[in-house]
Coordinates of all heavy atoms in Angstrom, one line a residue:
M1 N -14.0 -3.7 -9.7 CA -13.3 -4.3 -8.5 C -12.1 -3.5 -8.0 O -11.8 -3.5 -6.9 CB -12.9 -5.7 -9.0 CG -12.5 -6.5 -7.8 SD -13.9 -6.9 -6.7 CE -13.1 -7.9 -5.5
T2 N -11.4 -2.7 -9.0 CA -10.4 -1.9 -8.5 C -10.8 -0.8 -7.7 O -10.1 -0.4 -6.8 CB -9.5 -1.4 -9.7 OG1 -10.4 -0.6 -10.5 CG2 -9.0 -2.5 -10.5
H3 N -12.0 -0.2 -7.9 CA -12.5 0.8 -7.1 C -12.7 0.4 -5.6 O -12.4 1.2 -4.7 CB -13.8 1.4 -7.6 CG -13.5 2.0 -9.0 ND1 -12.8 3.1 -9.2 CD2 -14.1 1.8 -10.2 CE1 -12.8 3.5 -10.4 NE2 -13.6 2.6 -11.1
L4 N -13.2 -0.8 -5.4 CA -13.4 -1.4 -4.1 C -12.0 -1.5 -3.4 O -12.0 -1.1 -2.2 CB -14.1 -2.7 -4.2 CG -14.3 -3.5 -2.9 CD1 -15.2 -2.6 -2.0 CD2 -14.9 -4.8 -3.1
A5 N -11.0 -2.0 -4.1 CA -9.7 -2.1 -3.5 C -9.2 -0.7 -3.2 O -8.6 -0.5 -2.1 CB -8.7 -2.7 -4.5
D6 N -9.4 0.3 -3.9 CA -9.0 1.7 -3.5 C -9.7 2.2 -2.3 O -9.2 2.8 -1.4 CB -9.2 2.6 -4.8 CG -8.4 2.3 -6.0 OD1 -7.3 1.7 -5.7 OD2 -8.7 2.8 -7.1
V7 N -11.0 2.0 -2.2 CA -11.9 2.3 -1.2 C -11.3 1.6 0.2 O -11.1 2.3 1.2 CB -13.3 2.1 -1.4 CG1 -14.1 2.3 -0.1 CG2 -13.8 3.1 -2.4
L8 N -11.1 0.4 0.1 CA -10.6 -0.4 1.2 C -9.2 0.0 1.7 O -8.9 0.2 2.8 CB -10.7 -1.9 0.9 CG -12.0 -2.5 0.8 CD1 -11.9 -3.9 0.5 CD2 -12.8 -2.4 2.1
S9 N -8.4 0.4 0.7 CA -7.0 0.9 1.0 C -7.1 2.3 1.7 O -6.4 2.5 2.7 CB -6.2 1.1 -0.3 OG -4.9 1.5 0.1
G10 N -8.1 3.1 1.3 CA -8.3 4.4 1.9 C -8.8 4.2 3.4 O -8.4 4.9 4.2
A11 N -9.7 3.2 3.5 CA -10.3 3.0 4.9 C -9.2 2.5 5.8 O -9.1 2.9 7.0 CB -11.5 2.0 4.8
A12 N -8.4 1.6 5.3 CA -7.2 1.0 6.2 C -6.2 2.2 6.5 O -5.7 2.2 7.6 CB -6.6 -0.1 5.4
S13 N -6.0 3.1 5.5 CA -5.2 4.2 5.8 C -5.7 5.1 6.8 O -5.0 5.5 7.8 CB -4.9 5.0 4.5 OG -4.2 6.2 4.7
M14 N -7.0 5.4 6.8 CA -7.7 6.1 7.8 C -7.7 5.5 9.1 O -7.4 6.1 10.2 CB -9.1 6.5 7.4 CG -9.8 7.5 8.3 SD -11.5 7.6 7.9 CE -12.2 6.1 8.3
A15 N -7.9 4.2 9.2 CA -7.9 3.4 10.4 C -6.4 3.6 11.0 O -6.3 3.6 12.3 CB -8.3 2.0 10.3
S16 N -5.4 3.4 10.3 CA -4.1 3.4 10.8 C -3.7 4.9 11.3 O -3.1 5.0 12.4 CB -3.1 3.1 9.8 OG -3.1 1.6 9.4
L17 N -4.3 5.8 10.6 CA -4.0 7.2 11.1 C -4.7 7.5 12.4 O -4.2 8.1 13.4 CB -4.4 8.2 10.0 CG -4.1 9.7 10.4 CD1 -2.7 9.8 10.5 CD2 -4.8 10.6 9.3
A18 N -5.9 6.9 12.6 CA -6.7 7.0 13.8 C -5.9 6.3 14.9 O -5.8 6.9 16.1 CB -8.0 6.5 13.7
V19 N -5.4 5.2 14.7 CA -4.6 4.5 15.7 C -3.3 5.3 16.1 O -3.1 5.4 17.3 CB -4.2 3.0 15.3 CG1 -3.3 2.3 16.1 CG2 -5.6 2.2 15.0
A20 N -2.8 5.8 15.0 CA -1.5 6.7 15.4 C -1.9 7.8 16.3 O -1.1 8.1 17.1 CB -0.9 7.1 14.1
L21 N -3.0 8.4 16.1 CA -3.4 9.6 16.8 C -3.7 9.2 18.3 O -3.4 9.8 19.2 CB -4.5 10.3 16.2 CG -4.2 11.1 15.0 CD1 -5.5 11.6 14.3 CD2 -3.2 12.1 15.2
F22 N -4.4 7.9 18.4 CA -4.6 7.5 19.8 C -3.3 7.2 20.5 O -3.1 7.6 21.7 CB -5.4 6.2 19.7 CG -6.8 6.4 19.8 CD1 -7.6 6.2 18.7 CD2 -7.5 6.9 20.9 CE1 -9.0 6.4 18.7 CE2 -8.9 7.1 21.0 CZ -9.6 6.9 19.7
F23 N -2.3 6.5 19.9 CA -1.0 6.3 20.6 C -0.3 7.7 20.8 O 0.4 7.8 21.8 CB -0.2 5.4 19.7 CG -0.5 4.0 19.9 CD1 -0.9 3.2 18.8 CD2 -0.4 3.3 21.1 CE1 -1.3 1.8 18.9 CE2 -0.7 1.9 21.2 CZ -1.2 1.3 20.1
L24 N -0.4 8.6 20.0 CA 0.2 9.9 20.2 C -0.5 10.5 21.4 O 0.2 11.2 22.2 CB 0.1 10.8 19.0 CG 0.8 12.0 18.9 CD1 2.4 11.5 18.9 CD2 0.7 12.8 17.7
K25 N -1.8 10.4 21.6 CA -2.4 10.9 22.8 C -2.0 10.2 24.0 O -1.7 10.9 25.1 CB -4.0 10.7 22.6 CG -4.8 11.3 23.8 CD -6.3 11.1 23.6 CE -6.8 9.9 24.2 NZ -8.1 9.7 24.1
F26 N -1.8 9.0 24.0 CA -1.3 8.2 25.2 C 0.2 8.6 25.5 O 0.5 8.7 26.6 CB -1.4 6.7 25.0 CG -2.7 6.1 24.8 CD1 -3.0 5.2 23.9 CD2 -3.8 6.6 25.5 CE1 -4.4 4.7 23.7 CE2 -5.1 6.2 25.4 CZ -5.2 5.2 24.5
W27 N 1.0 8.9 24.5 CA 2.3 9.3 24.6 C 2.3 10.7 25.4 O 3.1 10.9 26.2 CB 3.1 9.4 23.4 CG 4.4 10.0 23.5 CD1 5.5 9.4 24.0 CD2 4.8 11.4 23.2 NE1 6.5 10.3 24.0 CE2 6.2 11.5 23.5 CE3 4.1 12.4 22.6 CZ2 6.9 12.7 23.3 CZ3 4.8 13.5 22.3 CH2 6.1 13.7 22.7
R28 N 1.5 11.6 24.9 CA 1.4 12.9 25.5 C 1.1 12.8 27.0 O 1.5 13.7 27.9 CB 0.4 13.7 24.8 CG 0.9 14.2 23.5 CD 0.0 15.2 22.7 NE 0.0 16.5 23.5 CZ -0.8 17.4 23.3 NH1 -1.7 17.3 22.4 NH2 -0.8 18.5 24.0
R29 N 0.2 11.8 27.3 CA -0.2 11.7 28.8 C 0.9 11.1 29.6 O 1.2 11.5 30.7 CB -1.4 10.8 28.9 CG -2.7 11.5 28.6 CD -3.8 10.5 29.0 NE -5.0 11.0 28.4 CZ -6.1 10.2 28.3 NH1 -6.1 8.9 28.7 NH2 -7.2 10.7 27.9
T30 N 1.6 10.0 29.1 CA 2.5 9.3 29.9 C 4.1 9.6 29.6 O 4.9 9.3 30.4 CB 2.3 7.8 29.6 OG1 2.6 7.5 28.3 CG2 0.9 7.4 30.0
R31 N 4.4 10.2 28.5 CA 5.7 10.4 28.0 C 6.5 9.1 27.8 O 7.8 9.1 28.0 CB 6.4 11.4 28.8 CG 5.8 12.7 28.8 CD 6.0 13.4 27.5 NE 5.4 14.8 27.5 CZ 5.3 15.4 26.4 NH1 5.7 15.0 25.3 NH2 4.7 16.6 26.5
D32 N 5.8 8.0 27.6 CA 6.5 6.7 27.4 C 6.7 6.5 25.9 O 5.9 6.7 25.1 CB 5.4 5.6 27.9 CG 6.1 4.2 27.9 OD1 7.3 4.1 27.5 OD2 5.4 3.3 28.4
T33 N 8.0 6.2 25.7 CA 8.4 6.1 24.3 C 7.8 5.0 23.5 O 7.8 4.9 22.3 CB 10.0 6.0 24.2 OG1 10.4 4.9 24.9 CG2 10.7 7.3 24.7
F34 N 7.3 4.0 24.3 CA 6.6 2.9 23.6 C 5.5 3.4 22.9 O 5.3 3.0 21.7 CB 6.2 1.9 24.7 CG 5.4 0.8 24.3 CD1 5.9 -0.4 23.8 CD2 3.9 0.8 24.5 CE1 5.1 -1.4 23.4 CE2 3.1 -0.2 24.0 CZ 3.8 -1.3 23.5
F35 N 4.7 4.3 23.3 CA 3.5 4.8 22.7 C 4.0 5.7 21.4 O 3.3 5.8 20.4 CB 2.6 5.6 23.6 CG 2.0 4.8 24.6 CD1 2.1 5.1 26.0 CD2 1.1 3.7 24.3 CE1 1.6 4.3 26.9 CE2 0.6 2.9 25.3 CZ 0.8 3.2 26.5
L36 N 5.1 6.4 21.7 CA 5.6 7.3 20.6 C 6.0 6.4 19.4 O 5.7 6.7 18.2 CB 6.6 8.1 21.0 CG 7.2 9.1 20.0 CD1 6.2 10.1 19.7 CD2 8.5 9.9 20.6
I37 N 6.7 5.3 19.6 CA 7.2 4.4 18.6 C 6.0 3.8 17.9 O 5.9 3.7 16.6 CB 8.2 3.3 19.1 CG1 9.5 4.1 19.7 CG2 8.5 2.3 18.1 CD1 10.4 3.2 20.3
F38 N 5.0 3.3 18.7 CA 3.8 2.8 18.0 C 3.0 3.9 17.1 O 2.5 3.5 16.1 CB 2.9 2.2 19.1 CG 2.9 0.8 19.4 CD1 4.2 0.3 19.8 CD2 1.9 0.0 19.0 CE1 4.3 -1.1 20.0 CE2 2.1 -1.4 19.2 CZ 3.3 -2.0 19.6
A39 N 3.0 5.1 17.6 CA 2.4 6.2 16.9 C 3.1 6.4 15.6 O 2.5 6.5 14.5 CB 2.3 7.4 17.6
A40 N 4.5 6.4 15.6 CA 5.2 6.6 14.4 C 5.0 5.3 13.4 O 4.9 5.5 12.2 CB 6.7 6.6 14.7
A41 N 4.9 4.2 14.0 CA 4.7 3.0 13.2 C 3.4 2.9 12.4 O 3.4 2.7 11.2 CB 4.8 1.7 14.0
F42 N 2.3 3.4 13.1 CA 1.1 3.5 12.4 C 0.9 4.6 11.6 O 0.2 4.5 10.5 CB -0.1 3.4 13.5 CG -0.4 2.0 14.0 CD1 0.2 1.6 15.2 CD2 -1.1 1.2 13.2 CE1 0.0 0.3 15.7 CE2 -1.4 -0.2 13.7 CZ -0.8 -0.6 14.8
A43 N 1.7 5.6 11.8 CA 1.7 6.8 10.9 C 2.3 6.4 9.5 O 1.9 6.7 8.4 CB 2.4 8.0 11.5
I44 N 3.5 5.7 9.7 CA 4.1 5.1 8.5 C 3.2 4.2 7.7 O 3.1 4.3 6.4 CB 5.4 4.4 8.9 CG1 6.4 5.4 9.4 CG2 6.0 3.6 7.7 CD1 7.7 4.8 10.0
D45 N 2.4 3.4 8.4 CA 1.5 2.4 7.7 C 0.4 3.2 7.0 O 0.0 2.9 5.9 CB 0.9 1.5 8.8 CG 0.1 0.5 8.1 OD1 0.5 -0.1 7.1 OD2 -1.1 0.3 8.5
A46 N -0.1 4.3 7.7 CA -1.2 5.2 7.1 C -0.6 5.8 5.8 O -1.3 5.8 4.7 CB -1.6 6.2 8.1
I47 N 0.5 6.3 5.8 CA 1.1 7.0 4.6 C 1.4 6.0 3.6 O 1.1 6.2 2.3 CB 2.4 7.7 5.0 CG1 2.1 8.8 5.9 CG2 3.2 8.1 3.8 CD1 3.3 9.5 6.6
S48 N 1.9 4.8 3.9 CA 2.2 3.8 2.9 C 0.9 3.2 2.2 O 0.9 3.1 1.0 CB 2.8 2.6 3.7 OG 2.9 1.5 2.8
R49 N -0.1 3.0 3.0 CA -1.4 2.6 2.5 C -2.0 3.7 1.6 O -2.6 3.4 0.6 CB -2.4 2.1 3.6 CG -1.9 0.8 4.2 CD -2.9 0.4 5.2 NE -2.5 -0.7 6.1 CZ -2.6 -2.0 5.8 NH1 -3.3 -2.3 4.7 NH2 -2.2 -2.9 6.5
F50 N -1.9 4.9 2.0 CA -2.5 6.0 1.2 C -1.7 6.0 -0.2 O -2.4 6.1 -1.2 CB -2.3 7.3 1.9 CG -2.9 8.4 1.2 CD1 -4.3 8.7 1.1 CD2 -2.0 9.4 0.5 CE1 -4.8 9.8 0.4 CE2 -2.5 10.5 -0.2 CZ -3.8 10.6 -0.2
A51 N -0.3 5.9 -0.1 CA 0.4 6.0 -1.3 C 0.1 4.9 -2.2 O 0.0 4.9 -3.5 CB 1.9 6.1 -1.0
L52 N -0.1 3.6 -1.7 CA -0.4 2.5 -2.4 C -1.8 2.6 -3.1 O -2.0 2.2 -4.3 CB -0.3 1.2 -1.5 CG -0.4 -0.1 -2.2 CD1 0.8 -0.3 -3.2 CD2 -0.4 -1.2 -1.2
G53 N -2.7 3.2 -2.4 CA -4.0 3.3 -2.9 C -4.2 4.4 -4.0 O -5.0 4.4 -4.9
M54 N -3.3 5.4 -3.9 CA -3.4 6.6 -4.9 C -2.6 6.3 -6.1 O -2.8 7.1 -7.0 CB -2.9 7.8 -4.1 CG -3.8 8.2 -3.0 SD -5.5 8.6 -3.5 CE -5.3 10.0 -4.5
S55 N -1.8 5.4 -6.1 CA -0.9 5.1 -7.3 C -1.3 3.8 -8.1 O -1.8 2.9 -7.4 CB 0.6 5.1 -7.0 OG 0.8 4.2 -6.0
Q56 N -0.9 3.7 -9.3 CA -1.0 2.5 -10.0 C 0.3 1.8 -9.8 O 1.4 2.3 -10.2 CB -1.2 2.9 -11.6 CG -2.5 3.6 -11.8 CD -3.7 2.7 -11.5 OE1 -3.6 1.5 -11.7 NE2 -4.8 3.3 -11.2
V57 N 0.2 0.6 -9.3 CA 1.3 -0.2 -9.0 C 1.5 -1.4 -9.9 O 0.6 -2.1 -10.1 CB 1.3 -0.6 -7.5 CG1 2.4 -1.5 -7.2 CG2 1.1 0.5 -6.6
S58 N 2.6 -1.5 -10.4 CA 2.9 -2.6 -11.3 C 3.5 -3.8 -10.4 O 3.9 -3.5 -9.3 CB 3.8 -2.3 -12.4 OG 5.1 -1.9 -11.9
D59 N 3.7 -4.9 -11.0 CA 4.3 -6.0 -10.3 C 5.7 -5.7 -9.8 O 6.1 -6.3 -8.8 CB 4.2 -7.3 -11.1 CG 2.7 -7.8 -11.1 OD1 1.9 -7.4 -10.3 OD2 2.4 -8.6 -12.0
T60 N 6.4 -5.0 -10.7 CA 7.8 -4.8 -10.4 C 8.1 -3.7 -9.3 O 9.0 -3.6 -8.6 CB 8.6 -4.4 -11.6 OG1 8.0 -3.2 -12.2 CG2 8.6 -5.5 -12.7
T61 N 7.2 -2.7 -9.2 CA 7.2 -1.7 -8.3 C 6.6 -1.9 -6.9 O 6.8 -1.2 -5.9 CB 6.8 -0.3 -8.8 OG1 5.4 -0.4 -9.1 CG2 7.6 0.0 -10.0
E62 N 5.7 -3.0 -6.8 CA 5.0 -3.2 -5.6 C 5.9 -3.4 -4.4 O 5.5 -3.0 -3.3 CB 4.0 -4.4 -5.8 CG 3.0 -4.4 -4.6 CD 1.9 -5.5 -4.9 OE1 1.9 -5.9 -6.0 OE2 1.1 -5.6 -4.0
P63 N 6.9 -4.2 -4.5 CA 7.8 -4.4 -3.4 C 8.3 -3.1 -2.7 O 8.6 -3.0 -1.5 CB 9.0 -5.3 -3.8 CG 8.4 -6.0 -5.0 CD 7.4 -5.0 -5.7
M64 N 8.5 -2.1 -3.5 CA 8.9 -0.8 -3.0 C 7.9 -0.2 -2.0 O 8.2 0.5 -1.0 CB 9.2 0.2 -4.1 CG 10.2 -0.2 -5.0 SD 11.9 -0.2 -4.3 CE 12.1 1.6 -4.1
Y65 N 6.7 -0.5 -2.3 CA 5.6 0.0 -1.4 C 5.5 -0.9 -0.1 O 4.8 -0.3 0.8 CB 4.2 0.1 -2.1 CG 4.2 1.2 -3.1 CD1 4.5 1.0 -4.4 CD2 3.7 2.5 -2.7 CE1 4.5 2.0 -5.3 CE2 3.7 3.5 -3.6 CZ 4.0 3.2 -5.0 OH 4.1 4.3 -5.9
L66 N 6.1 -2.0 -0.2 CA 6.0 -2.9 1.0 C 7.1 -2.6 2.0 O 7.0 -3.0 3.2 CB 5.9 -4.4 0.6 CG 4.7 -4.7 -0.2 CD1 4.8 -6.2 -0.6 CD2 3.4 -4.5 0.6
L67 N 8.0 -1.9 1.5 CA 9.2 -1.5 2.4 C 8.9 -0.8 3.6 O 9.3 -1.1 4.8 CB 10.3 -0.9 1.6 CG 11.7 -0.7 2.2 CD1 12.3 -2.1 2.5 CD2 12.5 0.1 1.3
P68 N 8.0 0.3 3.5 CA 7.6 0.9 4.7 C 6.9 0.0 5.7 O 6.9 0.2 7.0 CB 6.5 2.0 4.2 CG 7.0 2.2 2.8 CD 7.4 0.9 2.3
R69 N 6.1 -1.0 5.3 CA 5.5 -1.9 6.2 C 6.6 -2.7 7.0 O 6.3 -3.0 8.2 CB 4.6 -2.9 5.4 CG 3.3 -2.2 5.1 CD 2.4 -3.2 4.5 NE 1.3 -2.5 3.9 CZ 0.4 -3.2 3.0 NH1 0.5 -4.4 2.9 NH2 -0.6 -2.4 2.4
L70 N 7.6 -3.0 6.4 CA 8.8 -3.8 6.9 C 9.4 -2.8 8.1 O 9.6 -3.3 9.2 CB 9.9 -4.1 5.9 CG 11.0 -4.9 6.5 CD1 10.7 -6.2 7.1 CD2 12.1 -5.0 5.4
V71 N 9.5 -1.5 7.8 CA 9.9 -0.6 8.8 C 9.0 -0.5 9.9 O 9.3 -0.5 11.1 CB 10.1 0.8 8.1 CG1 10.5 1.9 9.2 CG2 11.3 0.7 7.1
M72 N 7.6 -0.5 9.6 CA 6.6 -0.4 10.6 C 6.7 -1.5 11.6 O 6.6 -1.4 12.7 CB 5.2 -0.3 9.9 CG 4.1 -0.4 10.8 SD 2.6 -0.9 9.9 CE 1.7 -1.8 11.3
F73 N 6.7 -2.8 11.0 CA 6.8 -3.9 11.8 C 8.1 -4.0 12.6 O 8.1 -4.5 13.8 CB 6.6 -5.2 11.1 CG 5.1 -5.4 10.6 CD1 4.8 -5.4 9.3 CD2 4.1 -5.3 11.6 CE1 3.5 -5.5 8.9 CE2 2.7 -5.5 11.1 CZ 2.4 -5.5 9.8
G74 N 9.1 -3.5 12.1 CA 10.4 -3.4 12.8 C 10.3 -2.5 14.0 O 10.9 -2.9 15.1
L75 N 9.6 -1.4 13.9 CA 9.4 -0.4 14.9 C 8.6 -1.0 16.0 O 8.9 -0.8 17.2 CB 8.8 0.9 14.4 CG 9.7 1.8 13.7 CD1 8.9 3.0 13.1 CD2 10.7 2.4 14.6
I76 N 7.6 -1.7 15.6 CA 6.7 -2.3 16.6 C 7.5 -3.5 17.4 O 7.5 -3.4 18.7 CB 5.5 -3.0 16.0 CG1 4.5 -1.9 15.5 CG2 4.7 -3.9 17.0 CD1 3.4 -2.3 14.6
V77 N 8.2 -4.2 16.8 CA 9.1 -5.2 17.4 C 10.1 -4.6 18.3 O 10.3 -5.0 19.5 CB 9.7 -6.2 16.4 CG1 10.8 -7.1 17.1 CG2 8.7 -7.1 15.8
A78 N 10.8 -3.6 17.8 CA 11.7 -2.8 18.7 C 11.1 -2.2 20.0 O 11.7 -2.3 21.0 CB 12.4 -1.7 17.9
A79 N 9.9 -1.7 19.7 CA 9.2 -1.1 20.9 C 8.8 -2.1 22.0 O 9.0 -1.9 23.2 CB 8.0 -0.4 20.4
I80 N 8.4 -3.3 21.5 CA 8.0 -4.3 22.5 C 9.2 -4.9 23.1 O 9.2 -5.1 24.4 CB 7.3 -5.5 21.6 CG1 5.8 -5.0 21.2 CG2 7.1 -6.8 22.5 CD1 5.2 -5.9 20.3
I81 N 10.3 -5.1 22.4 CA 11.6 -5.5 23.0 C 12.1 -4.5 24.1 O 12.5 -5.0 25.2 CB 12.6 -5.9 21.8 CG1 12.1 -7.2 21.2 CG2 14.0 -6.1 22.6 CD1 13.0 -7.5 20.0
G82 N 12.0 -3.3 23.7 CA 12.5 -2.2 24.6 C 11.7 -2.2 25.9 O 12.2 -1.9 26.9
K83 N 10.3 -2.3 25.7 CA 9.5 -2.3 26.9 C 9.7 -3.5 27.8 O 9.8 -3.3 29.0 CB 8.0 -2.2 26.4 CG 7.1 -2.0 27.5 CD 7.2 -0.6 28.0 CE 6.1 -0.2 29.0 NZ 6.2 1.1 29.4
N84 N 10.0 -4.6 27.2 CA 10.3 -5.8 28.0 C 11.6 -5.7 28.7 O 11.8 -6.2 29.7 CB 10.1 -7.0 27.3 CG 8.6 -7.4 26.9 OD1 7.7 -7.1 27.7 ND2 8.3 -8.0 25.8
A85 N 12.6 -5.1 27.9 CA 13.9 -4.9 28.5 C 13.9 -4.0 29.7 O 14.6 -4.2 30.7 CB 14.8 -4.4 27.5
E86 N 13.0 -3.0 29.7 CA 12.8 -2.0 30.9 C 12.4 -2.8 32.0 O 12.8 -2.6 33.1 CB 11.8 -1.0 30.5 CG 12.3 0.1 29.7 CD 11.2 1.1 29.5 OE1 10.1 1.1 30.1 OE2 11.4 2.0 28.5
R87 N 11.4 -3.7 31.8 CA 10.7 -4.4 32.9 C 11.6 -5.5 33.5 O 11.5 -5.7 34.8 CB 9.5 -5.1 32.3 CG 8.5 -5.4 33.4 CD 7.3 -6.1 32.9 NE 6.4 -5.2 32.1 CZ 5.5 -5.6 31.3 NH1 5.3 -6.8 31.1 NH2 4.8 -4.7 30.7
S88 N 12.5 -6.1 32.8 CA 13.3 -7.1 33.3 C 14.6 -6.6 33.8 O 15.5 -7.4 34.2 CB 13.5 -8.2 32.2 OG 14.3 -7.7 31.1
G89 N 14.9 -5.4 33.7 CA 16.2 -4.7 34.2 C 16.2 -4.9 35.7 O 15.3 -5.2 36.4
P90 N 17.5 -4.6 36.3 CA 17.7 -4.7 37.7 C 17.0 -3.7 38.5 O 16.6 -2.7 38.3 CB 19.2 -4.4 37.8 CG 19.7 -3.8 36.5 CD 18.6 -4.1 35.5

């Protein structure tokens, strides 16, 4: 069962990396920082999931691996708030 979890973690990491590359492509076309922040967030997620899948995590160290996800979701929220602030400006 642990091998399945490792494979799924690797697949999720690869998917996050693919999403990061798509957002990076959109950023290169538009130069909108919204896409750049999303690309950074998904790249952080890809690295975090890869590290989590490649290491043996104990119950005491697992929260350390969840910290990058907190940063990722914080970046996404900041990007959305920033985009909406641009739109509602004078």
Side-chain angles (χ1 to χ4, degrees):
M1 192 67 180
T2 60
H3 295 297
L4 179 63
D6 292 341
V7 169
L8 290 176
S9 180
S13 175
M14 184 184 69
S16 289
L17 186 62
V19 170
L21 291 175
F22 271 110
F23 279 118
L24 198 58
K25 184 176 94 176
F26 295 141
W27 173 75
R28 288 185 66 192
R29 280 188 192 163
T30 64
R31 296 293 178 188
D32 189 354
T33 56
F34 176 79
F35 294 124
L36 184 62
I37 293 173
F38 263 65
F42 279 98
I44 289 170
D45 186 49
I47 293 168
S48 169
R49 289 182 189 270
F50 181 76
L52 190 60
M54 295 301 291
S55 60
Q56 296 293 328
V57 179
S58 67
D59 289 341
T60 57
T61 60
E62 189 172 356
M64 297 292 287
Y65 286 93
L66 297 178
L67 193 60
R69 286 189 193 168
L70 181 66
V71 171
M72 172 199 150
F73 288 119
L75 283 174
I76 289 173
V77 168
I80 291 171
I81 290 172
K83 190 68 174 181
N84 286 330
E86 282 178 12
R87 202 181 288 167
S88 66

